[in-house]
Amino acid sequence: MSDSTTAGQKIAFLGTGKIGEALLSGLLRAGTAPADVLVTARRAERATELADRYGVTTVTNAEAAKLADTLILAVKPQDMGTLLEELAEHVAADKLVVSAAAGIPTAWFEARLAPGTPVVRVMPNTPVLVDEGMSVISGGSHATEAHLARTEAIFRSVGKALRVPEGQQDAATALSGSGPAYFYFLVEAMIDAGILLGLPRQVAHELIVQSAIGASVMLRDSGEHPVKLREAVTSPAGTTIAAIRELENHGVRAAMLGALEAARDRSRELAGGGK
């Protein structure tokens, strides 16, 4: 990678499921040398697959902790305790530990690692799989500007990265972490509506998906507030305002507010050890 914040650094991925592999492949496409990337895998056949596919070196968790400058922990939240028990004695305080596990605060890691170990918490979302991810980054009590910049460089290889105070992570999880599911749910409902209106499923799918892509690009690139973009489609006494009225009558806006609050509250429960 040409970014000076990661140049010459060895990066280890501990946990190479879909998100971990997406980050790995994104880093390599962005210019990181395979020789600078280490990966661990629970199954030997998975380790062989990753080594063959990307030319990276597969190691044990303990070896990754000793050899890498940055450790990206991408295992499931319920597996993080076991991983930390295995890693803790091997992680020196000058290593950067990056967690991509939902709901686990940086203080939880700091309490289990050597005093002073820098920890950064990241909430990516699934569009990292297509290099359009949104990753929300928060530093722990020992993370410096350099540590945050290094983390940003890694996650920007698969989309955008935004720093927020850790106290905002639960809200960010509700919006961007879970956010793609809300759009898929809406698209699913619109496709069903198209079928109800007499369109073949494939036609309804193509119409809605391309409309969603076009609307997203306009939101990103126009700089306009979504209200202005919506108003540009909404003619007086036209079809769009008739549809908007029905959405408002059915409380769709209020339902979305309630849904996001529920997602935030659940994220808080998980962070506190809730099941």
Side-chain angles (χ1 to χ4, degrees), residues 30-108:
T32 297
D36 290 333
V37 178
L38 308 173
V39 299
T40 74
R42 186 176 297 178
R43 296 178 292 107
E45 57 269 29
R46 175 62 170 164
T48 301
E49 176 187 350
L50 292 167
D52 292 344
R53 182 178 299 167
Y54 299 108
V56 296
T57 302
T58 58
V59 295
T60 66
N61 289 332
E63 288 170 336
K66 294 174 183 176
L67 296 171
D69 302 289
T70 300
L71 305 175
I72 300 179
L73 312 185
V75 302
K76 295 177 181 178
Q78 60 266 33
D79 295 330
M80 196 62 80
T82 301
L83 178 62
L84 261 289
E85 287 178 7
E86 183 181 349
L87 283 182
E89 65 180 287
H90 304 292
V91 180
D94 61 347
K95 309 286 186 178
L96 169 60
V97 175
V98 178
S99 166
I104 305 179
T106 56
W108 184 91

Side-chain angles (χ1 to χ4, degrees), residues 129-147:
L129 298 169
V130 292
D131 293 347
E132 291 291 351
M134 182 71 250
S135 299
V136 184
I137 295 173
S138 302
S141 58
H142 307 298
T144 66
E145 169 63 29
H147 296 130

Side-chain angles (χ1 to χ4, degrees), residues 100-120:
I104 305 179
T106 56
W108 184 91
F109 292 92
E110 291 170 350
R112 289 160 175 79
L113 296 169
T117 301
V119 178
V120 176

Side-chain angles (χ1 to χ4, degrees), residues 139-161:
S141 58
H142 307 298
T144 66
E145 169 63 29
H147 296 130
L148 290 167
R150 193 190 310 175
T151 305
E152 282 180 329
I154 292 168
F155 282 83
R156 281 177 177 161
S157 69
V158 288
K160 291 189 174 183

